[in-house]
Amino acid sequence: EIVLTQSPGTLSLSPGERATLSCRASQSVPSSYLAWYQKRPGQAPRLLIYGASSRATGIPDRFSGSGSGTDFTFTINRLEPEDFAVYYCQQYGNSYSFGQGTKLEIK
Amino acid sequence: QLQLQESGPGLVKPSETLSLTCTVSGGSISSSSYYWGWIRQAPGKGLEWIGSIYYSGSTYFNSSLKSRVTMSVDTSKSQFSLKLRTVTASDTAVYYCAGDSNGYHHWGQGTLVTVSS
């Protein structure tokens, strides 16, 4: 089972700033099958990035992902008010698992 | 556009079986491109993957829940289902069904299931 560890647990930033989130896997994620989701209260998760770096349909290019193997990064440029939410990484290359989440809050 | 909708009881008694169904519309549940999954989020907690099923019936489960979970698919009704046996209060959560095609691109709105007597 692949365990995903996200850091930081909470990130406090202001609108217009850049957010950088990390996801580290306990073993290599096959074929970079790593996704990032946004979760707002009362809403279903929303896929932002799949395959480590591909943006899902309709996702602005402010959102980007990178990485391979065991280390992955998710970046949001020029934070908008609606971006403040919880973000989860997920691997689907060896069964499935989610990270514990990073809360992005307004500073 | 693929749409998913969960249905089932919102209240289940401890030690009983939680049963949920997800109806898929706007696309074929028999598509070879998709694995169909269940994910949950307990109050104040993160997302937890429960299990996945392919249209052929092949299943994959979270090891921590495997002994209590059954999943099935009914292609004639475009539905797949989850059964979680012997529930306790810790199984109280919002349960989501989702479609995986290189990531969970499609999600149901979620349904809250409370385990309480």
Side-chain angles (χ1 to χ4, degrees):
Chain A
E1 177 185 340
I2 296 180
V3 176
L4 300 178
T5 302
Q6 293 186 238
S7 60
T10 302
L11 186 57
S12 300
L13 293 170
S14 300
E17 293 190 300
R18 174 186 297 172
T20 303
L21 285 61
S22 173
C23 178
R24 180 161 291 179
S26 60
Q27 56 187 278
S28 183
V29 177
S31 304
S32 294
Y33 284 154
L34 193 288
W36 290 91
Y37 298 85
Q38 179 188 67
K39 180 69 173 68
R40 296 179 179 136
Q43 296 186 17
R46 175 190 180 198
L47 177 67
L48 303 175
I49 300 290
Y50 64 94
S53 60
S54 297
R55 273 185 298 277
T57 302
I59 302 304
D61 60 8
R62 302 186 293 106
F63 296 90
S64 63
S66 64
S68 64
T70 60
D71 289 300
F72 298 87
T73 300
F74 173 74
T75 302
I76 312 173
N77 288 311
R78 303 179 307 279
L79 283 167
E80 300 280 348
E82 63 268 24
D83 297 337
F84 292 91
V86 180
Y87 291 85
Y88 294 91
C89 60
Q90 178 218 14
Q91 68 81 23
Y92 49 98
N94 182 341
S95 187
Y96 298 76
S97 53
F98 286 94
Q100 82 279 18
T102 290
K103 181 180 181 181
L104 178 57
E105 65 176 23
I106 298 177
K107 188 174 183 179
Chain B
Q1 174 74 341
L2 202 64
Q3 293 186 319
L4 293 86
Q5 178 67 59
E6 305 89 351
S7 59
L11 182 64
V12 182
K13 290 182 168 56
S15 80
E16 297 191 344
T17 297
L18 179 160
S19 296
L20 294 174
T21 296
C22 183
T23 302
V24 179
S25 59
S28 174
I29 199 171
S30 299
S31 169
S32 60
S33 299
Y34 283 92
Y35 282 82
W36 306 103
W38 289 98
I39 299 97
R40 70 181 182 179
Q41 184 174 35
K45 303 294 185 181
L47 299 174
E48 180 181 30
W49 174 71
I50 301 171
S52 289
I53 188 166
Y54 198 50
Y55 76 95
S56 62
S58 298
T59 52
Y60 310 86
F61 300 130
N62 186 322
S63 58
S64 67
L65 298 169
K66 188 174 183 178
S67 63
R68 298 194 291 131
V69 174
T70 303
M71 292 179 63
S72 60
V73 60
D74 186 336
T75 56
S76 67
K77 295 182 178 179
S78 285
Q79 294 177 335
F80 61 102
S81 299
L82 168 71
K83 291 188 186 298
L84 181 63
R85 297 178 292 277
T86 322
V87 296
T88 68
S90 63
D91 294 309
T92 293
V94 176
Y95 285 76
Y96 297 97
C97 60
D100 165 33
S101 177
N102 201 354
Y104 283 119
H105 289 254
H106 307 283
W107 294 75
Q109 64 187 25
T111 187
L112 174 63
V113 179
T114 301
V115 178
S116 175
S117 55

